[in-house]
Amino acid sequence: MARSLVVPAPSKHSSLFPNFPTDSHFIQSRTLPFAALRNSSNCYTRCSLTSLHRRLAPVAALESDVPHPLHQGSANVKRSKTFEQWDSWTAKFSGAANIPFLLLQMPQIILNAQNLMAGNKTALLAVPWLGMLTGLLGNLSLLSYFVKKKETEVIVVQTLGVISIFIVITQLAMAEAMPLPHFVATSVVVAIGLVFNFFNYLGKLDPGIWRFWEDFITVGGLSALPQVMWSTFVPYLPSSILPGAIAFVVAIAAVIMARTGSLSEKGVKFVGGLSGWTATLLFMWMPVSQMWTNFLNPENIKGLSAFSMLLAMIGNGLMIPRAIFIRDLMWFTGSAWATLFYGYGNIVCMYCLKTISREFFLAATAGLVSWIGMTLWRDSAVYGYSSPLTSLKELAFGST
């Protein structure tokens, strides 16, 4: 997941996470940044045994932000030099994801700045501010998720993602493409979110304030997800705010029940993990939106940048080893989905429509298969398993 990477704006099919470009901007040879999910890289290289035991506990399903004890089967392996070396390398891989993500972020910001300086405010109307706003919420949610896990490098990546989206939103406000009241409210939320996350990372934020912030992003994420999914298929579906409104009521009720003790311990954990998962699902919806756009308008794929798709595949692929290594199912799900269905999926579409060469396609395929194979082999080796399927089983279901 990490910078970290994606949600279509209503009827625009735009990407919201800053590490990914929007399809509409691709058609105009533009790139929008994707963080999280794109989000999202993870680089935390401390090697103390206490730190390793805290950070490498397998986490599964909706409990991805809940600490789990290390499984006993590989306790001795975790003290080995090889294990600590792979810990360090996976962290470096995630940190390296900053490079392709930054290459995706900068062109749109520079282009917007050039249009603003030239007085061409109309050009910025092509950037959907509502889509960017939803993406900002997704990145703030993922930032809070990784702050709880104390994953330092991915926190930096997600923070840069939030800042890059906010820069674009600021440019839209300057071009009067975004209403001023909405921009002011967004600025307040971003400022508060960054401050809360910073102080919580340092352990200096009151737990009650942090719980309030978590409730806020949970309600926001749950409200946005069904609305964005519904809006993707407009006008084939009637335009409506009903999905978002229903989800908002359900989210408010769930949060109130969790905070008033009306839910079981398992239910409270479920609600606690929703903000991270809804942000990941928003991020995962981007490939669906892109494929849907390709299906409706096959000619539009000619406007996609093969280099941008390759960067998206590489950036998210670099985070897969770390997600598997620390057994973070949520992070792995988002990163793997973006790697396979967004980056590589669009490369496959471009090859089928003959907009890229066979050599480019084969090189991308060979690189991806080799990377995933190496990741699974190495992870199983450092954990002392004979089959890479064991690592995937632990990732999905936790230790046994």
Side-chain angles (χ1 to χ4, degrees):
M1 239 174 325
R3 212 185 133 316
S4 94
L5 99 324
V6 188
V7 188
S11 73
K12 291 280 187 182
H13 311 293
S14 69
S15 102
L16 300 179
F17 280 62
N19 290 345
F20 277 151
T22 61
D23 46 320
S24 61
H25 298 151
F26 274 135
I27 296 171
Q28 302 172 38
S29 298
R30 297 178 182 174
T31 349
L32 274 181
F34 164 96
L37 168 118
R38 11 210 220 176
N39 95 212
S40 344
S41 79
N42 189 337
C43 241
Y44 195 58
T45 57
R46 297 180 184 176
C47 293
S48 70
L49 293 179
T50 301
S51 177
L52 282 173
H53 281 210
R54 174 179 60 79
R55 290 161 45 237
L56 302 179
V59 288
L62 282 169
E63 298 182 9
S64 281
D65 61 344
V66 180
H68 288 255
L70 281 173
H71 48 292
Q72 298 301 315
S74 58
N76 293 330
V77 178
K78 295 181 188 306
R79 295 176 173 85
S80 71
K81 183 178 180 180
T82 301
F83 187 90
E84 293 183 1
Q85 286 176 341
W86 186 237
D87 175 31
S88 177
W89 274 110
T90 57
K92 292 175 181 177
F93 291 148
S94 295
N98 278 300
I99 298 174
F101 287 153
L102 285 174
L103 291 176
L104 281 172
Q105 292 169 0
M106 294 309 298
Q108 183 67 46
I109 294 175
I110 294 174
L111 180 61
N112 289 345
Q114 291 174 341
N115 285 324
L116 283 173
M117 289 187 292
N120 185 19
K121 296 182 178 180
T122 305
L124 276 73
L125 295 176
V127 183
W129 68 266
L130 185 57
M132 298 300 297
L133 183 60
T134 308
L136 187 62
L137 177 61
N139 276 273
L140 279 172
S141 297
L142 289 176
L143 173 61
S144 300
Y145 172 80
F146 286 110
V147 163
K148 290 172 64 176
K149 297 173 73 71
K150 304 299 183 184
E151 292 286 350
T152 306
E153 283 72 15
V154 74
I155 290 172
V156 174
V157 175
Q158 288 293 342
T159 301
L160 292 176
V162 170
I163 293 173
S164 66
I165 287 187
F166 183 71
I167 290 174
V168 174
I169 286 180
T170 301
Q171 292 174 325
L172 296 180
M174 294 173 62
E176 301 179 353
M178 178 180 185
L180 183 59
H182 295 75
F183 172 71
V184 172
T186 299
S187 301
V188 172
V189 171
V190 170
I192 292 175
L194 291 176
V195 170
F196 282 0
N197 278 283
F198 175 75
F199 281 101
N200 190 61
Y201 176 76
L202 297 178
K204 297 182 179 181
L205 187 68
D206 181 78
I209 296 178
W210 181 251
R211 284 195 297 270
F212 172 81
W213 172 251
E214 286 188 308
D215 292 342
F216 174 80
I217 59 178
T218 296
V219 172
L222 284 175
S223 303
L225 179 60
Q227 186 63 49
V228 167
M229 296 173 69
W230 179 276
S231 299
T232 299
F233 301 107
V234 173
Y236 294 91
L237 294 176
S239 180
S240 173
I241 63 170
L242 189 60
I246 294 176
F248 175 79
V249 173
V250 172
I252 289 290
V255 167
I256 291 176
M257 292 176 67
R259 296 310 181 199
T260 56
S262 301
L263 297 178
S264 64
E265 181 180 353
K266 188 174 182 179
V268 172
K269 289 181 179 180
F270 180 90
V271 174
L274 282 178
S275 60
W277 274 98
T278 51
T280 300
L281 291 173
L282 284 170
F283 155 58
M284 292 171 62
W285 191 251
M286 173 57 189
V288 178
S289 175
Q290 182 70 66
M291 295 300 179
W292 176 249
T293 300
N294 295 345
F295 173 76
L296 295 178
N297 304 290
E299 288 298 315
N300 284 352
I301 203 169
K302 295 180 180 179
L304 291 177
S305 166
F307 181 66
S308 295
M309 292 295 96
L310 183 63
L311 288 174
M313 185 185 80
I314 293 174
N316 286 280
L318 284 170
M319 296 185 289
I320 291 177
R322 185 65 179 177
I324 295 178
F325 181 67
I326 68 171
R327 303 299 194 257
D328 191 321
L329 178 62
M330 189 192 81
W331 188 11
F332 170 79
T333 301
S335 296
W337 183 276
T339 300
L340 297 174
F341 292 96
Y342 187 83
Y344 184 70
N346 277 298
I347 288 176
V348 171
C349 291
M350 297 170 76
Y351 175 70
C352 292
L353 295 178
K354 303 185 185 305
T355 61
I356 59 174
S357 67
R358 181 182 180 184
E359 291 75 16
F360 185 96
F361 171 73
L362 292 178
T365 302
L368 179 60
V369 172
S370 300
W371 180 253
I372 293 177
M374 182 279 298
T375 295
L376 294 176
W377 167 78
R378 187 62 176 168
D379 188 86
S380 62
V382 299
Y383 274 94
Y385 300 143
S386 59
S387 170
L389 295 180
T390 305
S391 293
L392 294 177
K393 181 181 178 181
E394 283 190 350
L395 176 69
F397 305 107
S399 59
T400 56

